[in-house]
Amino acid sequence: MRISAAQRTENENRIRAAMDRLLRGEIPPGGKCDIKTLAREAGVDRTAFYGTRPYAYLRTEFERRLQALQQAGDIPDPREAQITRLKAENAKLRERLTQSEQTITELTDFRTQTLARLAAQHKEIVQLREAAAETSRVSRLPAPRTTVIGTCS
């Protein structure tokens, strides 16, 4: 069915108005900032935006403007903004988890090495004490006096 030039102009005006609303962030309930919602808001068949159909140039204009907004850091669809924010937060948390796991591994290795060194030192001390007890060349020092004479002030 063919439409008149006036009807086509009216449809284009409705599409442009709906496009402006969506790009300002006025997303209807259950909708997104996409062609499907644009067609529904403008009251136009969605297939009119594809291929060689009459409003294909408006689809490319809408996608170009949407991409320009996204590159500027302004995301009109609050759900898309939330998804982007959550993905960034998820990536940051994964990085923190990786760093924590690396720190835990390093500390566990350090603890293992420290315990091994302490065990080796203890074994050496025990061996030195046994060797000192067996030899007669080592003389024992007298025990310190425990009685105090006078004041210590």
Side-chain angles (χ1 to χ4, degrees), residues 96-108:
R96 281 183 56 197
L97 179 63
T98 302
Q99 289 176 350
S100 295
E101 288 174 346
Q102 183 180 3
T103 302
I104 289 170
T105 302
E106 290 172 0
L107 290 174
T108 302

Side-chain angles (χ1 to χ4, degrees), residues 5-135:
Q7 288 174 324
R8 184 175 182 148
T9 304
E10 182 183 330
N11 286 346
E12 287 178 4
N13 290 337
R14 283 198 326 260
I15 292 170
R16 287 187 190 280
M19 188 184 311
D20 290 337
R21 283 194 310 271
L22 289 176
L23 292 175
R24 275 194 313 265
E26 298 174 19
I27 312 294
K32 297 180 182 178
C33 193
D34 61 356
I35 297 296
K36 182 178 178 181
T37 306
L38 176 63
R40 189 177 66 212
E41 287 294 299
V44 177
D45 185 29
R46 183 175 51 160
T47 59
F49 290 101
Y50 296 99
T52 58
R53 301 291 175 123
Y55 307 120
Y57 70 97
L58 290 173
R59 176 183 57 87
T60 56
E61 178 184 339
F62 176 72
E63 290 172 347
R64 182 185 50 76
R65 288 176 60 188
L66 179 62
Q67 188 176 28
L69 283 174
Q70 288 172 341
Q71 287 176 348
D74 184 23
I75 302 174
D77 191 348
R79 278 182 280 158
E80 289 296 324
Q82 182 181 22
I83 289 170
T84 304
R85 180 183 56 79
L86 290 174
K87 282 182 179 179
E89 186 178 330
N90 190 10
K92 192 165 70 170
L93 289 173
R94 286 182 187 274
E95 183 179 326
R96 281 183 56 197
L97 179 63
T98 302
Q99 289 176 350
S100 295
E101 288 174 346
Q102 183 180 3
T103 302
I104 289 170
T105 302
E106 290 172 0
L107 290 174
T108 302
D109 291 344
F110 178 75
R111 179 178 176 256
T112 303
Q113 290 174 359
T114 304
L115 288 175
R117 287 179 188 157
L118 284 173
Q121 289 173 354
H122 177 69
K123 183 177 178 182
E124 186 177 352
I125 290 171
V126 169
Q127 288 174 348
L128 289 173
R129 282 183 182 161
E130 289 174 357
E134 292 174 2
T135 61

